Amino acid sequence: MLVDHIGTVFFPDILIFRILGRFSFPLFILLLVEGEKHTRHFRQYCLRLLLLGIVSQPIYQLLFRSTVWNILFTLLLGLLCLRLVRRFPRWQFLIWIVGATIAQVLHLEYQAYGIVMIALIHHFQVSAFWWAGWITFHLGLLIVAPGFAIFQLPAIFSPFLLSLATHQQGRKARWFYLFYPSHLFALWLIRYIQ
C-alpha cells in the first residue's frame, strides 16, 4: 500500500508502483477476514476502523484530491457484512449484494468491487471452483468497467499470496490500522514541503 501511494503521489507515470500496489488490498482483506473470525471485541474493532477512517479522510482528500471515502470505510462495511454473514449464513448472498450496493452508492474506495472482493476472500479456497470464480469476476470487470479492470487486473494473481497464509491467530495488532493515517500524513507533509 505504501509503495502504491508513493507511486500515486510522486511517480504517477511509473506503473510498477501501482502494479505492486494491487496486491495490498487483497492482503488487507485477508487480515480483515481473519480479524473478524478471531476478535472477541467486535464493536471495538468497528469503532477503531470508524475513528481511523474519520481521522484519515481529510488527509486522504488533500493528498489524493479525491471525494471518495477512504479504504477504512470500505473495510468497516466489509467487517459488518462478515459479521452478518456469520450470524445469518442463509442470507449471505443478500447481505453481500446490499453491502456492495451501499459501497457503490456512498462512493467508498473500491466501491462494489471492494465488497465483492471481501466476499470472495472470505470464501477463499485453493480449489478450481474458487479460482474460476475469482478469474471470471476479474475478467467480467473488463466488460462492465474496462478502465478500472485493466488497472486492477494484477490483483488476479494475489491469491497466490493468500494461499501462503496459515489462518492461525497471530499477535494482537489492535492499532495496526493506525499506519494508514500516519503514512498518508507523512506523504502529504513531504509533498507539501517540496
Side-chain angles (χ1 to χ4, degrees), residues 93-132:
F93 185 74
L94 180 61
I95 291 166
W96 291 119
I97 293 294
V98 169
T101 303
I102 291 169
Q104 195 72 28
V105 169
L106 294 180
H107 299 288
L108 303 183
E109 189 170 8
Y110 285 109
Q111 296 182 312
Y113 171 83
I115 301 302
V116 173
M117 288 276 286
I118 293 169
L120 286 169
I121 291 175
H122 169 66
H123 294 290
F124 175 69
Q125 302 172 26
V126 182
S127 70
F129 181 74
W130 188 90
W131 269 99

Side-chain angles (χ1 to χ4, degrees), residues 37-192:
K37 189 187 309 178
H38 294 294
T39 188
R40 285 180 282 203
H41 306 287
F42 180 75
R43 288 183 184 162
Q44 289 176 1
Y45 195 174
C46 289
L47 186 60
R48 202 173 308 123
L49 283 173
L50 177 63
L51 290 175
L52 290 171
I54 291 169
V55 167
S56 301
Q57 190 61 27
I59 308 164
Y60 177 85
Q61 288 179 315
L62 284 171
L63 183 64
F64 298 117
R65 296 175 179 94
S66 174
T67 57
V68 303
W69 294 95
N70 70 68
I71 196 70
L72 295 179
F73 293 107
T74 308
L75 293 174
L76 173 60
L77 179 58
L79 183 63
L80 293 170
C81 289
L82 286 166
R83 184 50 57 106
L84 287 171
V85 164
R86 181 180 299 283
R87 293 245 170 101
F88 307 103
R90 295 178 67 197
W91 296 97
Q92 68 179 307
F93 185 74
L94 180 61
I95 291 166
W96 291 119
I97 293 294
V98 169
T101 303
I102 291 169
Q104 195 72 28
V105 169
L106 294 180
H107 299 288
L108 303 183
E109 189 170 8
Y110 285 109
Q111 296 182 312
Y113 171 83
I115 301 302
V116 173
M117 288 276 286
I118 293 169
L120 286 169
I121 291 175
H122 169 66
H123 294 290
F124 175 69
Q125 302 172 26
V126 182
S127 70
F129 181 74
W130 188 90
W131 269 99
W134 180 263
I135 292 169
T136 302
F137 170 63
H138 280 88
L139 293 179
L141 279 175
L142 290 169
I143 298 165
V144 179
F148 177 76
I150 291 291
F151 177 72
Q152 203 57 33
L153 204 55
I156 208 166
F157 300 105
S158 59
F160 290 115
L161 291 174
L162 301 181
S163 66
L164 300 174
T166 65
H167 302 286
Q168 302 297 314
Q169 184 173 1
R171 295 175 53 193
K172 294 188 192 299
R174 289 187 182 96
W175 293 101
F176 167 75
Y177 293 105
L178 187 59
F179 178 76
Y180 188 76
S182 301
H183 94 281
L184 291 180
F185 181 72
L187 292 175
W188 175 81
L189 196 59
I190 291 166
R191 189 172 73 186
Y192 180 77

